[in-house]
């Protein structure tokens, strides 16, 4: 028997929380332990069930609260390679007696293709529970994703989503695997504001084959119903919806997978704001965009009053240095300098061998106005040719940098401008730098670093296809300026693949691998020297 001093509901809840978050136990063990506790002690029953049913994966747990003769497991053509839960007979009111007790405990639901529930069973549940709306009255987080099923089944399942709309729902994520060609999603979501007035975080990812923009306008009109959103992830929106979002004072996170309909201003001297009298995106902290370069520049022009901390832009068209210079210039003029901490600018075009006339400076120096940057990843497909002057300016401007990658993703078609000594400014002036990705010339160097020019934080150096001809000298130099470096990654690194074969490595890759191996030797020698010095001091 439990002592009366311990008969406090909060204490039972804390015990169950500890059991659920005991990382020494596997998830199955945690659930079994809590289930046993709920059946063993009446005082623990409620708190244990609250924790067990707080979050469910799929719909099977909910359906399995009904009599066992109601369902059967079998395969169906519309669900390839899996056995699913199918309805054996109609659902009666008497089958629902236990469901409300569990339904009210659920706070988070993930409905996906691994739910393995037949659409007919879900439709039957929808009809049988009309008197129980909302079905999950305390639901706060709903994630809806179906993949690897036919389009028809996906749409049929989605039409039952209103079952899970609840007044306390704050997070809703809907992702479709198939492309739809009707106004089905916008029409179902049109009344969402009435069913879920508390929504703060929305994710709508589904593509339309409708070329007239009807579905884009439909989704945009749904988005315009909310004035208190905090986070939004969509594929695209209309200009009107973008302007509406700009007026929401609580919007902190925004992500577009394929932004197109945004108006650009070609006045490069004044900050650009929306047509509304209020400042645009006043609380925006995180922005992720995948779009053409023109759209990226256009959206950057809307951020003059935004405290953006994390900016990620994926450019989907082929861009040349002049385009990158314009983007850097726009960002530096329109984004609040002290706020920006993470900057990712990548390109998915194809420019492996650009004409020599196109090779010119991309204007990285424009980014030196952001002195609080901690993470920078800039990857034009044609690479970046850094000069010693640019490296010095970047190192001076970014003393808080932790992760820096500049043009080290794609093989370079040109010889790098800076020599290996060009790394010294980063070692000297970026004491927090842990990861550095850069292309440089490591050939024919005889340098040794001077005392005091080193970084004790950097552990990984990414060199892409930087030329090298003497791994021993390179490893010794890198070990001097980065004493705690642990690994070097390089282009076509066969070690990154499960079945990687050393014979597939290029000669440059083999030499970088040798330099990487020698770093371990230098680290051991340095450790021995330190140990000997400590012994002498004692």
């Amino acid at each position: 028997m439990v002592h009366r001093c311990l008969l406090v509901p909060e204490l039972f809840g804390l015990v169950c929380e500890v059991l659920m978050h005991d990382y020494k136990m596997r998830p199955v063990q945690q659930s079994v332990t809590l289930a046993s506790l709920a059946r063993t002690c009446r005082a623990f029953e409620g708190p244990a069930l609250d924790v067990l049913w707080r979050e469910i994966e799929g719909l099977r747990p909910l359906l399995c609260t009904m009599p066992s003769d109601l369902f059967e497991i079998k395969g169906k053509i519309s669900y390839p390679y899996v056995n699913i839960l199918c309805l054996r007979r109609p659902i009666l009111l008497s089958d629902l007696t236990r469901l409300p007790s569990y339904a009210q405990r659920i706070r988070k639901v993930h409905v996906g293709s691994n739910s393995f529930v037949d659409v007919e069973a879900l439709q039957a549940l929808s009809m049988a529970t009309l008197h129980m709306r909302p079905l999950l009255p305390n639901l706060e987080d709903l994630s809806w994703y179906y993949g690897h099923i036919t389009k028809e089944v996906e749409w049929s399942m989605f039409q039952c989503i209103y079952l899970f709309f609840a007044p306390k729902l704050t997070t809703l994520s809907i992702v479709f695997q198939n492309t739809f060609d009707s106004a089905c999603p916008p029409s179902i979501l049109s009344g969402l504001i009435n069913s879920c007035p508390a929504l703060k975080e929305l994710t709508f990812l589904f593509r339309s084959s409708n070329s007239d923009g009807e579905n884009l306008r439909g989704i945009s009109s749904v988005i315009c119903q909310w004035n208190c959103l905090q986070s939004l992830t969509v594929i695209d929106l209309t200009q009107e919806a973008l302007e509406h979002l700009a007026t929401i004072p609580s919007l902190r996170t925004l992500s577009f997978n394929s932004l197109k309909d945004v108006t650009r201003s070609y006045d490069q001297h004044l900050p650009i704001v929306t047509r509304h009298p209020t400042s645009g995106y006043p609380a925006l902290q995180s922005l992720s965009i995948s779009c053409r370069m023109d759209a990226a520049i256009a959206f950057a022009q809307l951020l003059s009053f935004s405290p953006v901390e994390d900016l990620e832009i994926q450019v989907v068209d082929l861009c040349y240095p002049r385009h990158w210079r314009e983007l850097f210039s726009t960002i530096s003029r329109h984004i609040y300098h002290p706020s920006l901490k993470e900057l990712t600018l990548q390109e998915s075009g194809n420019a492996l061998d650009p004409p020599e006339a196109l090779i010119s400076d991309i204007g990285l120096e424009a980014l030196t106005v952001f002195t609080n940057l901690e993470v920078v990843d800039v990857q034009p497909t044609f690479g970046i040719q850094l000069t010693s002057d640019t490296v010095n300016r970047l190192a001076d401007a970014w003393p808080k940098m932790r992760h820096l990658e500049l043009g080290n993703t794609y093989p370079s078609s040109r010889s790098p401008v800076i020599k290996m000594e060009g790394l010294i400014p980063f070692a000297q002036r970026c004491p927090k730098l842990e990861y550095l990705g850069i292309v440089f010339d490591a050939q024919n160097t005889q340098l040794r670093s001077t005392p005091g020019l080193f970084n004790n934080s950097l552990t990984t150096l990414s060199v892409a296809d930087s030329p090298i001809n003497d791994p021993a000298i390179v490893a010794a130099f890198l070990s001097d300026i980065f004493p705690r470096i642990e690994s070097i990654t390089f282009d076509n690194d066969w070690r990154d693949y499960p079945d990687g074969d050393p014979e597939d490595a290029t000669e440059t890759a083999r030499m970088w691998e040798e330099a990487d191996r020698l770093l371990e030797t230098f680290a051991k020698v340095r450790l021995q020297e330190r140990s000997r010095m400590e012994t002498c001091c004692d």
Side-chain angles (χ1 to χ4, degrees), residues 188-229:
I188 291 178
L189 299 174
S190 59
L192 194 58
I193 185 66
N194 299 320
S195 304
C196 310
L199 272 174
K200 303 295 182 184
E201 300 180 15
L202 293 179
T203 297
F204 292 155
L205 293 179
F206 29 79
R207 297 185 181 277
S208 171
S209 60
N210 193 339
S211 59
D212 64 4
E214 177 185 354
N215 287 297
L216 175 62
R217 292 191 294 272
I219 292 299
S220 296
S221 66
V222 171
I223 298 300
C224 289
Q225 295 176 352
W226 275 273
N227 296 311
C228 298
L229 285 179

Side-chain angles (χ1 to χ4, degrees), residues 20 346 425 486 509:
M20 195 62 183
Q346 299 181 334
E486 297 174 355

Side-chain angles (χ1 to χ4, degrees), residues 2 7 12 36-49:
V2 179
L7 292 178
F12 291 111
S36 299
L37 203 57
R39 291 191 296 265
T40 302
C41 177
R42 181 170 297 178
F44 269 110
E45 181 182 12
L49 289 177

Side-chain angles (χ1 to χ4, degrees), residues 177-411:
Q177 182 75 13
N178 297 292
T179 299
F180 63 87
D181 50 13
S182 69
C184 174
S187 62
I188 291 178
L189 299 174
S190 59
L192 194 58
I193 185 66
N194 299 320
S195 304
C196 310
L199 272 174
K200 303 295 182 184
E201 300 180 15
L202 293 179
T203 297
F204 292 155
L205 293 179
F206 29 79
R207 297 185 181 277
S208 171
S209 60
N210 193 339
S211 59
D212 64 4
E214 177 185 354
N215 287 297
L216 175 62
R217 292 191 294 272
I219 292 299
S220 296
S221 66
V222 171
I223 298 300
C224 289
Q225 295 176 352
W226 275 273
N227 296 311
C228 298
L229 285 179
Q230 296 178 0
S231 175
L232 176 64
T233 299
V234 291
I235 290 179
D236 195 8
L237 290 176
T238 63
Q239 181 75 18
E240 289 73 20
L242 293 175
E243 294 179 355
H244 172 74
L245 292 176
T247 67
I248 298 179
S250 56
L251 187 63
R252 296 196 298 263
T253 303
L254 189 56
S255 178
F256 297 99
N257 278 27
S258 183
L259 184 65
K260 297 183 182 69
D261 190 12
V262 56
T263 303
R264 175 181 175 184
S265 169
Y266 287 88
D267 183 351
Q268 298 298 313
H269 302 288
L270 296 175
I272 308 300
V273 296
T274 61
R275 291 195 294 255
H276 293 273
T278 56
S279 302
Y281 302 94
L284 191 62
Q285 297 178 358
S286 177
L287 175 64
S288 176
I289 314 176
S290 179
C291 58
R292 295 178 64 85
M293 180 62 86
D294 270 2
I297 293 173
F299 207 96
Q301 292 174 336
L302 303 176
L303 302 176
S304 296
F305 299 95
S306 308
V308 177
E309 296 180 3
D310 183 357
L311 176 61
E312 180 178 351
I313 299 177
Q314 179 77 39
V315 182
V316 297
D317 54 339
L318 177 61
C319 300
Y320 296 124
R322 65 179 183 277
H323 302 130
W324 284 96
R325 284 196 299 271
E326 186 176 2
L327 177 62
F328 295 151
S329 178
T330 302
I331 290 174
S332 65
R333 284 196 310 274
H334 294 278
I335 293 182
Y336 185 53
H337 297 170
S339 66
L340 194 63
K341 295 181 180 179
E342 299 188 15
L343 178 63
T344 301
L345 305 173
Q346 299 181 334
E347 179 186 349
S348 58
N350 184 12
L352 295 181
D353 294 299
E356 197 67 27
L358 297 174
I359 300 174
S360 60
D361 179 43
I362 63 174
L364 272 173
E365 291 86 348
L367 301 178
T368 57
V369 296
F370 301 105
T371 56
N372 289 321
L373 278 171
E374 299 177 7
V375 176
V376 171
D377 187 357
V378 180
Q379 302 293 348
T381 55
F382 55 78
I384 298 177
Q385 277 197 309
L386 291 169
T387 64
S388 297
D389 181 61
T390 300
V391 168
N392 275 283
R393 293 185 62 181
L394 297 181
D396 285 334
W398 297 340
K400 299 179 181 180
M401 188 63 59
R402 295 182 290 104
H403 185 112
L404 177 61
E405 295 188 73
L406 298 174
N408 65 307
T409 298
Y410 301 98

